[in-house]
Amino acid sequence: MIVTQAYRFALDPTQRQASALLRHAGAARVAYNWALARVKANLSQREAERSYGIEDLTPSFGWSMYSLRKAWNQAKNDVAPWWPECSKEAYATGLDQLAAALKNWSGSRNGKRKGRPMGFPRFKSKNKAVKSCRFTTGAIRLDGRTHVVLPVLGRIKTHESTRKLARRIENGTARIKSATVRLDAGRWHVAFSVEVDRPDAAPARPDAVIGVDLGVKTLAVFSDGRPPAENPKHYDHARRKLRRLSRTVSRRTGPDRRTGRQPSKRWLRANDQRNRVHHRVADLRRDGIHKLTTELALEYGTIVVEDLNVAGMVKNRRLARAVSDAGFGEIRRQLAYKTEWNGGRLEVADRWFPSSKTCSDCRAVKPKLPLRVRTFSCEHCGLVIDRDENAARNLASLVKHHVTGSGPETQNGRGADRKPGPAPAGGHEASTSHRPRAGSDEDLCPVMGKSLRITDPSRDGSAVRGWRGLCRGAPRAGRVCSCQR
């Protein structure tokens, strides 16, 4: 299996090398702003000509990386006479970022790009822009275990050993494709994009299925009875320190864009201290998620998670901080590629599957289950179980159903982007209530999510679809069970 993997190392550059790194990052910003100004001027000129009724418009300025780089090479002697001091890859970095931003904006306008609407690119500030530069050609290699070599910058010492990547390169199972340097938390880092030939692997328990229910109170609860993963809440623990440091920053003389005032040295030192706390919280969260996802991917053959609407959850002002601190999206992202690397698979349940409301024993569904109720009590079979553990068991059960003639089949959702409403009356029965009528045959029909495909052994293995799931009781004579309608 050939995958693209990143190896990130902290650098220990000299003062002269640090200045060269800043110069390269500034060159990328200059090329970006210059090209953006040309694009905006061209669009404004064409719009003005249209308003005056001119038919022969000014030729449009190309937005592709090739067009932007060609225009930059023609104008760089006048725009940046100092351009030979930096690598050509520095200018290509800024132009490539602008080409990608314009493509996203254009695709968002005409509907070709999914996701939230993208605005028109803005100019990059010298103080606020991320200082980074990407190298794709030239001398990009490791020099021993403690140094890296980059174009124009030369040989730079690393803060940590590069033996993990060096061993793969020596064995011929890895090839460096590009390198990106970035100033992060006051320290320069280099990230190598490496094409790695990974051997075929298999999890320790390839036939094992585990359901993982993510939450805020407990980060992850599992269906096989293993101890749950507690939520460390790194940001909550650092809030008191951040509050104190933020007060210190507010009392210093900071920058003012309106008057052009420069920040004082004391403000810069206090701001660096506050930023280090933020970066430490992010590093601790990332490290904990990596350990959790790696452990699951190495052991289980199939992992089932929910399709959580994280973007919608963070809009709730009471849950936004806790949800963001838990990192639900990062957990799913890491499980997706780690299960592929280790020979397993990740199954995602439908967003509207009632994992918490469904009884993991008899499959009956509660009409309502508020978040404050942390214990699930089934009124049909009498099961009393923790709410999160019940949801994890229901997630694991999705891949344990079988369809006749096809072997095991995963019971994931249809990919609906909104919750379907009740079926209209007329020609068929009216929408079925969640509460069964007392004494009717519906009491014998536990309810499952409509996105599931369930096999009914009592009817020669035929599949059942709809709000009603597997019927465990025979209907009365002359009457049709709701699951057969």
Side-chain angles (χ1 to χ4, degrees), residues 19-29 85-91 132-133 135 151-153 181:
S19 300
L21 289 170
L22 284 174
R23 191 182 308 117
H24 277 69
R29 179 181 54 82
E85 299 178 8
C86 300
S87 171
K88 63 177 182 180
E89 296 295 328
Y91 312 105
S132 65
C133 179
F135 300 92
V152 178
L153 298 173
V181 291

Side-chain angles (χ1 to χ4, degrees), residues 163-195:
R163 60 180 179 274
K164 290 185 178 181
L165 177 57
R167 289 172 181 172
R168 286 189 175 274
I169 295 177
E170 293 171 358
N171 296 334
T173 59
R175 182 175 65 89
I176 297 178
K177 300 174 61 178
S178 64
T180 303
V181 291
R182 172 171 172 165
L183 182 63
D184 192 7
R187 179 183 288 276
W188 284 98
H189 294 78
V190 58
F192 292 101
S193 179
V194 186
E195 192 177 73

Side-chain angles (χ1 to χ4, degrees), residues 33-319:
N33 290 339
W34 173 85
L36 180 57
R38 288 286 301 269
V39 170
K40 294 186 68 174
N42 181 261
L43 293 176
S44 300
Q45 178 68 21
R46 291 171 61 87
E47 186 64 26
E49 292 173 354
R50 290 192 190 95
S51 64
Y52 286 108
I54 300 176
E55 297 181 358
D56 190 10
L57 301 180
T58 302
S60 61
F61 190 74
W63 293 355
S64 65
M65 173 60 180
Y66 174 80
S67 301
L68 293 177
R69 192 162 188 173
K70 183 178 179 180
W72 167 259
N73 289 333
Q74 294 174 352
K76 62 184 179 182
N77 290 325
D78 299 330
V79 176
W82 40 264
W83 68 266
E85 299 178 8
C86 300
S87 171
K88 63 177 182 180
E89 296 295 328
Y91 312 105
T93 299
L95 299 177
D96 183 56
Q97 292 174 352
L98 178 60
L102 290 172
K103 182 179 179 181
N104 292 337
W105 170 72
S106 178
S108 179
R109 289 189 64 191
N110 55 31
K112 293 182 179 180
R113 186 183 188 276
K114 298 180 180 180
R116 61 183 181 88
M118 301 295 294
F120 192 81
R122 294 182 293 181
F123 292 102
K124 289 189 176 183
S125 169
K126 180 180 179 180
N127 298 324
K128 293 185 177 182
V130 176
K131 298 176 176 58
S132 65
C133 179
R134 184 169 180 258
F135 300 92
T136 57
T137 60
I140 306 174
R141 67 177 187 272
L142 301 181
D143 189 1
R145 299 290 195 270
T146 57
H147 290 80
V148 298
V149 177
L150 298 174
V152 178
L153 298 173
R155 188 169 178 264
I156 305 178
K157 188 179 184 300
T158 58
H159 183 72
E160 51 191 330
S161 177
T162 61
R163 60 180 179 274
K164 290 185 178 181
L165 177 57
R167 289 172 181 172
R168 286 189 175 274
I169 295 177
E170 293 171 358
N171 296 334
T173 59
R175 182 175 65 89
I176 297 178
K177 300 174 61 178
S178 64
T180 303
V181 291
R182 172 171 172 165
L183 182 63
D184 192 7
R187 179 183 288 276
W188 284 98
H189 294 78
V190 58
F192 292 101
S193 179
V194 186
E195 192 177 73
V196 180
D197 185 5
R198 299 182 64 92
D200 294 336
R205 300 166 58 189
D207 297 331
V209 179
I210 184 173
V212 182
D213 181 72
L214 303 178
V216 173
K217 184 177 181 180
T218 303
L219 182 60
V221 178
F222 310 103
S223 61
D224 62 346
R226 61 184 295 165
E230 299 297 332
N231 189 357
K233 300 181 180 180
H234 298 294
Y235 182 74
D236 283 350
H237 294 163
R239 287 181 63 192
R240 183 176 181 181
K241 189 173 184 179
L242 285 172
R243 188 183 302 112
R244 176 176 55 82
L245 293 174
S246 296
R247 290 198 187 107
T248 303
V249 173
S250 65
R251 295 186 180 114
R252 304 289 187 257
T253 303
D256 192 340
R257 297 179 62 183
R258 296 171 297 178
T259 61
R261 184 181 63 191
Q262 297 297 319
S264 65
K265 297 295 183 181
R266 299 178 71 200
W267 184 92
L268 292 175
R269 287 195 298 268
N271 189 51
D272 289 340
Q273 293 178 358
R274 180 178 60 177
N275 291 341
R276 278 197 293 270
V277 177
H278 278 293
H279 287 290
R280 176 173 172 79
V281 169
D283 291 340
L284 289 173
R285 183 188 302 115
R286 190 183 304 111
D287 179 70
I289 293 176
H290 269 295
K291 291 178 179 178
L292 172 63
T293 54
T294 300
E295 182 181 359
L296 294 176
L298 289 175
E299 182 175 356
Y300 297 94
T302 304
I303 303 175
V304 188
V305 297
E306 286 183 295
D307 182 19
L308 299 176
N309 183 17
V310 181
M313 296 168 68
V314 296
K315 293 181 180 180
N316 186 337
R317 62 184 181 87
R318 300 181 183 274
L319 295 175

Side-chain angles (χ1 to χ4, degrees), residues 334-406:
Q334 293 186 13
L335 284 175
Y337 74 84
K338 289 183 180 181
T339 51
E340 183 180 358
W341 287 1
N342 294 281
R345 62 173 183 171
L346 176 67
E347 302 296 345
V348 181
D350 182 25
R351 180 173 297 179
W352 307 111
F353 171 62
S355 59
S356 298
K357 299 179 182 179
T358 305
C359 178
S360 58
D361 189 12
C362 68
R363 304 299 183 188
V365 176
K366 283 180 174 291
K368 290 185 179 181
L369 188 64
L371 285 175
R372 65 177 181 270
V373 179
R374 306 310 305 172
T375 302
F376 181 88
S377 301
C378 182
E379 301 175 355
H380 294 268
C381 65
L383 176 67
V384 178
I385 190 175
D386 181 75
R387 173 198 183 106
D388 298 332
E389 184 179 353
N390 178 71
R393 290 184 180 183
N394 288 325
L395 292 175
S397 66
L398 292 183
V399 297
K400 294 181 180 180
H401 296 290
H402 293 71
V403 177
T404 303
S406 62

